[in-house]
């Protein structure tokens, strides 16, 4: 056995996750559309409900004043930031925001802000005080992000040390002044990774933070970000839902992730978010009958599950992005499904996040074109998940041994023993979550 350090494995992820994310779930908050008032105070009334739902981290879409020059729609995009150290007066005051953060903390929840570091509005004061911090087109003029239809914003130039210092200071401001717990970084991969690496170092000098990258790249996980998006998982599930692929595509996805993604680099799993809802369609249109097994997969697979505002109410409409368009709140079976799954995640260490939880272990079955089956195990906890991603009832048997044992079914409480001879009937688009 060699002791030469050149041949010893070293973890890719060098950062330390805050302990409070080990079994956390995350919820994207669209303040504008959440209530008739569209304010921090009105949203705050929903916090006890979200706590009961099983939400741990509140990701607030950008809360800053919105640019007026070249604005899209009547009230504009959250992602066109006019002032990085102020709150949108439509949402309330700085004191209102601080009170919201405090109320969330009192309930044992955490708050992260959506941060738009790549670009600002056309009328951000930095355009006048520091025009050299912005990128320019071939005519020497401010420019939106090239190739994208983002006409209401203009890009920063991160080759300029000044914008790096300013933006880092603004990020530190909100952690110091309002006690937020981290950030979701918009289009994180458009900005040099070394900028984010330094941001994380400086923020950690204030308090332990949680960082989510809107991106899907391993390099962001080494020193900067705890979590990034599972865009590919979403897309594979959607392809399966529409019959473009079958369940074997999910096996391929997880096989690639196991062999290419760093251990302890957390993925965010979702069936909906503001981009998917506003620009593509509702979760019902995108997933159809596959919606429920897809939701079960996003919560039980490795990674942290996301809910977008209104999902738990069965929101079946595309929310306007540049106008007021309120969510209709109601009790719904989708919310009940999430609540049951989140309670399981909180109570079963096999489903914890990152290295706190158990690895996904495939359980081969005789219907792999339709059925995805896997086990996650940690200590004395085990979860055996069987998902039917087809429109036909399936009789499924398994060719492994890790799934053997006595379980309780999550959704009806029934006891079940899994032996080598066990076969299960799984309804069309059905699922079983077995707990040990």
């Amino acid at each position: 056995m060699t002791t030469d350090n050149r041949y010893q494995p070293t973890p890719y992820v060098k950062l330390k996750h805050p302990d409070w994310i080990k079994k956390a779930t995350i919820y994207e908050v669209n303040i504008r559309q959440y209530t008739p008032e569209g304010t921090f105070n009105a949203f705050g009334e929903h916090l006890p409900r979200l706590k009961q739902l099983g939400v741990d981290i509140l990701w607030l879409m950008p809360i800053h004043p919105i640019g007026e020059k070249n604005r899209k729609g009547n009230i504009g995009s959250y992602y066109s930031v006019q002032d990085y150290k102020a709150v949108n007066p439509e949402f309330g005051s700085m004191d209102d925001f601080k009170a919201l953060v405090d109320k969330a903390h009192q309930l044992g929840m955490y708050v992260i802000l959506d941060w738009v570091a790549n670009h600002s509005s056309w009328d951000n004061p930095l355009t006048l005080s520091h025009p050299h911090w912005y990128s320019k087109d071939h005519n020497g003029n401010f420019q939106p992000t090239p190739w994208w239809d983002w006409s209401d914003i203009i890009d920063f130039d991160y080759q300029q040390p000044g914008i790096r210092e300013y933006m880092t200071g603004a990020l530190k401001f909100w952690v110091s002044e309002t006690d937020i717990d981290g950030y979701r970084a918009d289009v994180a991969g458009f900005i040099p990774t070394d900028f984010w690496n330094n941001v994380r170092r400086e923020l950690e000098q204030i308090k332990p933070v949680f960082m989510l990258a809107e991106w899907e790249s391993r390099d962001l996980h080494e020193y900067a970000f705890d979590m990034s998006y599972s865009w590919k998982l979403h897309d594979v599930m959607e392809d399966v839902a529409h019959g473009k692929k079958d369940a074997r595509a999910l096996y391929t996805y997880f096989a690639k992730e196991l062999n290419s993604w760093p251990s302890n680099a957390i993925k965010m799993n979702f069936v909906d978010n503001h981009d998917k809802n506003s620009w593509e369609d509702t979760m019902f249109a995108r997933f159809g009958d596959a919606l429920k097994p897809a939701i079960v997969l996003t919560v039980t697979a490795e990674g942290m599950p996301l809910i977008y505002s209104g999902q738990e109410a069965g929101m079946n409409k595309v929310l306007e992005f540049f106008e007021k368009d309120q969510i209709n709140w109601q009790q719904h079976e989708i919310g009940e499904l999430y609540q049951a799954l989140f309670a399981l995640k909180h109570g079963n260490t096999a489903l914890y996040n990152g290295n706190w939880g158990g690895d996904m272990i495939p359980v081969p079955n005789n219907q792999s074109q339709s059925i995805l089956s896997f086990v996650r195990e940690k200590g004395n906890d085990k979860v055996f998940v069987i998902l039917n991603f087809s429109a036909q009832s399936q009789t499924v048997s398994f060719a492994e041994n890790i799934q053997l044992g006595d379980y309780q079914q999550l959704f009806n409480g029934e006891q079940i023993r899994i032996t080598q001879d066990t076969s299960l009937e799984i309804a069309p688009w059905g699922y079983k979550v077995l707990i040990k």
Side-chain angles (χ1 to χ4, degrees):
M1 180 176 178
T2 181
T3 58
D4 190 325
N5 287 336
R6 292 177 298 170
Y7 306 114
Q8 300 305 310
T10 58
Y12 183 83
V13 176
K14 310 299 192 305
L15 60 80
K16 183 182 185 299
H17 301 306
D19 290 341
W20 50 263
I21 74 163
K22 68 179 179 181
K23 54 183 177 179
T25 65
I26 187 167
Y27 185 97
E28 182 182 6
V29 182
N30 189 330
I31 292 286
R32 173 188 287 167
Q33 317 298 28
Y34 216 89
T35 61
E37 300 87 350
T39 62
F40 298 129
N41 290 338
F43 168 67
E45 298 301 311
H46 286 257
L47 291 186
R49 175 183 67 78
L50 294 175
K51 179 67 176 180
Q52 186 176 15
L53 179 62
V55 171
D56 299 300
I57 301 172
L58 299 165
W59 149 26
L60 272 60
M61 294 173 69
I63 64 168
H64 308 295
I66 294 170
E68 298 180 18
K69 184 178 180 182
N70 297 329
R71 173 179 283 188
K72 290 186 175 184
N74 289 310
I75 49 180
S77 167
Y78 295 140
Y79 295 85
S80 178
V81 176
Q82 191 181 61
D83 185 344
Y84 284 96
K85 293 185 179 180
V87 298
N88 185 342
E90 298 172 17
F91 296 166
S93 67
M94 181 69 81
D95 285 340
D96 292 336
F97 176 69
K98 290 179 180 179
L100 176 63
V101 174
D102 185 57
K103 185 174 183 179
H105 286 168
Q106 289 177 21
L107 289 169
M109 303 166 83
Y110 298 84
V111 179
I112 66 172
L113 283 185
D114 205 327
W115 195 263
V116 190
N118 180 67
H119 48 257
S120 79
S121 69
W122 287 81
D123 50 5
N124 189 301
L126 297 177
T127 60
L128 300 177
S129 62
H130 297 87
H132 56 291
W133 288 355
Y134 287 85
S135 72
K136 308 296 193 300
D137 64 15
H138 60 281
N139 292 313
N141 300 318
F142 294 134
Q143 62 175 344
T145 308
W147 302 89
W148 292 88
D149 180 26
W150 297 348
S151 59
D152 57 340
I153 58 88
I154 49 177
D155 265 17
F156 288 116
D157 177 6
Y158 274 82
Q159 297 306 307
Q160 303 297 321
I163 186 57
R164 291 178 175 232
E165 183 179 15
Y166 168 85
M167 197 63 69
T168 303
L171 286 155
K172 291 166 66 176
F173 167 84
W174 289 92
V175 175
S176 296
E177 296 299 317
T178 70
D179 201 27
I180 62 165
D181 303 291
Y183 291 96
R184 178 264 190 189
D186 187 59
V187 294
F190 283 9
I191 299 166
T193 303
D194 66 324
F195 167 76
W196 293 121
N197 291 346
N198 183 66
V199 163
R200 179 66 179 249
R201 282 192 295 269
E202 295 204 35
L203 292 178
E204 290 283 345
Q205 293 172 8
I206 304 170
K207 65 183 288 189
V209 292
F210 171 72
M211 298 289 286
L212 163 62
E214 190 207 8
W215 209 248
E216 195 166 17
S217 177
R218 59 184 292 158
D219 65 310
L220 292 172
H221 284 272
E222 186 174 12
Y223 294 108
F225 289 94
D226 301 277
M227 187 163 78
S228 60
Y229 277 52
S230 284
W231 290 114
K232 292 176 185 175
L233 175 59
H234 173 280
D235 293 347
V236 172
M237 291 191 301
E238 190 172 331
D239 283 345
V240 173
H242 288 280
K244 297 177 182 178
K245 297 177 180 177
D246 63 31
R248 289 172 291 194
L250 291 164
Y251 286 92
T252 300
Y253 167 80
F254 287 114
K256 290 180 178 178
E257 290 297 294
L258 174 64
N259 290 287
S260 66
W261 203 253
S263 173
N264 212 27
I266 301 169
K267 286 293 195 74
M268 184 175 72
N269 304 325
F270 55 90
V271 296
D272 211 1
N273 58 46
H274 72 268
D275 286 306
K276 291 297 180 183
N277 173 268
S278 288
W279 309 122
E280 297 188 17
D281 214 328
T282 70
M283 61 181 177
F284 295 102
R286 286 181 286 110
F287 286 94
D289 292 334
L291 178 60
K292 288 184 178 179
I295 287 173
V296 173
L297 180 56
T298 63
V299 183
T300 57
E302 289 180 51
M304 187 186 296
L306 167 75
I307 300 185
Y308 176 47
S309 298
Q311 272 191 266
E312 72 271 34
M315 184 174 68
N316 196 13
K317 71 173 181 177
V318 171
L319 288 174
E320 292 284 344
F321 201 76
F322 307 113
E323 309 290 346
K324 177 70 175 174
D325 187 14
Q326 187 187 332
I327 296 166
N328 298 316
W329 293 107
Q330 61 180 350
Q331 290 290 117
H332 197 275
E333 60 182 355
I334 296 296
E336 294 169 0
L337 176 60
Y338 272 116
Q339 187 169 7
L341 290 166
F342 284 3
L344 174 63
K345 183 177 179 68
H346 288 148
N348 193 297
T349 58
L351 298 188
Y352 282 11
N353 300 316
N355 287 348
W356 287 294
D359 296 336
M360 289 178 70
I361 300 172
V363 178
N365 66 69
N366 64 330
Q367 303 290 351
S368 60
Q369 76 283 1
S370 302
I371 299 287
L372 175 68
S373 51
F374 62 91
V375 160
R376 294 184 66 191
E377 185 175 25
K378 190 78 171 183
N380 294 323
D381 288 342
K382 182 187 290 188
V383 177
F384 180 26
V385 181
I386 308 107
L387 305 164
N388 185 359
F389 281 98
S390 77
Q392 291 77 42
S393 179
Q394 303 290 340
T395 302
V396 60
S397 57
F398 309 97
E400 242 295 349
N401 58 24
I402 192 171
Q403 81 281 5
L404 304 179
D406 295 320
Y407 296 88
Q408 182 181 48
Q409 299 195 55
L410 174 61
F411 297 104
N412 60 20
E414 291 181 3
Q415 303 295 319
I416 183 172
R417 173 168 291 176
I418 302 295
T419 69
Q420 290 285 13
D421 299 324
T422 297
S423 63
L424 299 174
E425 288 290 325
I426 311 295
W429 307 109
Y431 46 87
K432 290 186 184 296
V433 178
L434 308 182
I435 313 160
K436 185 176 181 181

